[in-house]
Amino acid sequence: DTLIPQSVKIKLHIVEQDPTEQGIRKALNFGHTVGHAIETYYLTKGKLIMHGSAIAYGMMVEAYLSHELNNLKIEDLKYILEIITKHLEPARVTDDMILDLIDFMKKDKKNESSEIKFSLLNAIGEPAINIACSEDDISNALLKCIHYFNEPF
């Protein structure tokens, strides 16, 4: 499988360019705002979840946000979701978790003032960092991804 070595090479290249996470390195946070909220949710319920499963789901949600807010092409969104669901096991998220997840996202260290900040995509390989998203946008993206498993886009 070439995905992991290729991903590690890309991550190393980005970290070398920005060792203190002041700029482009923030692109590596793609999927982590939602993913960390999912991890925290599960921990508060006394359950463990694999970091990769939480981040995989976070990448799905943040790819959808990228489509809705940053004009990521629908073809790119579908490709991202297909790759994630084919190669990874995304976390299980349900409708009744959404408000708690948003509350956890509000406490993310990447936020500024009261805005929930994300690293999104303009296109595959073209990150957009420090993008503020509304609670309604986040809630909608979470719902879309919850229902994606029953009705793909």
Side-chain angles (χ1 to χ4, degrees):
D1 197 29
T2 61
L3 285 177
I4 294 174
Q6 185 178 357
S7 297
V8 170
K9 187 176 180 180
I10 291 167
K11 183 175 182 176
L12 179 61
H13 178 69
I14 290 172
V15 170
E16 287 172 343
Q17 288 180 64
D18 182 13
T20 59
E21 199 172 345
Q22 300 303 307
I24 189 63
R25 185 170 171 177
K26 291 180 181 183
L28 298 177
N29 292 328
F30 177 68
H32 285 72
T33 300
V34 173
H36 288 159
I38 293 169
E39 285 180 307
T40 303
Y41 177 89
Y42 272 87
L43 282 172
T44 63
K45 301 299 180 191
K47 299 177 182 176
L48 292 179
I49 185 170
M50 296 289 292
H51 177 72
S53 291
I55 302 307
Y57 200 91
M59 290 170 70
M60 292 175 64
V61 173
E62 293 178 32
Y64 185 82
L65 284 168
S66 297
H67 170 66
E68 289 293 305
L69 304 176
N70 275 28
N71 299 313
L72 178 71
K73 293 178 186 173
I74 189 70
E75 299 82 21
D76 287 347
L77 171 61
K78 288 178 179 180
Y79 179 72
I80 290 166
L81 298 176
E82 178 186 320
I83 293 295
I84 290 170
T85 56
K86 181 179 178 182
H87 295 283
L88 302 168
E89 188 176 324
R92 185 170 183 278
V93 176
T94 57
D95 297 24
D96 62 332
M97 295 167 62
I98 291 175
L99 292 177
D100 288 329
L101 293 176
I102 291 172
D103 282 342
F104 293 130
M105 284 181 230
K106 289 178 182 176
K107 298 172 183 145
D108 190 281
K109 68 180 181 177
K110 295 179 292 298
N111 295 337
E112 293 172 15
S113 63
S114 62
E115 296 180 316
I116 302 174
K117 298 282 187 146
F118 293 86
S119 291
L120 300 179
L121 301 171
N122 294 322
I124 292 175
E126 188 181 315
I129 58 174
N130 297 327
I131 306 298
C133 296
S134 73
E135 291 182 34
D136 286 343
D137 289 332
I138 298 164
S139 179
N140 183 50
L142 284 161
L143 279 171
K144 287 287 188 180
C145 289
I146 288 166
H147 298 294
Y148 171 79
F149 291 99
N150 297 323
E151 295 177 37
F153 306 132

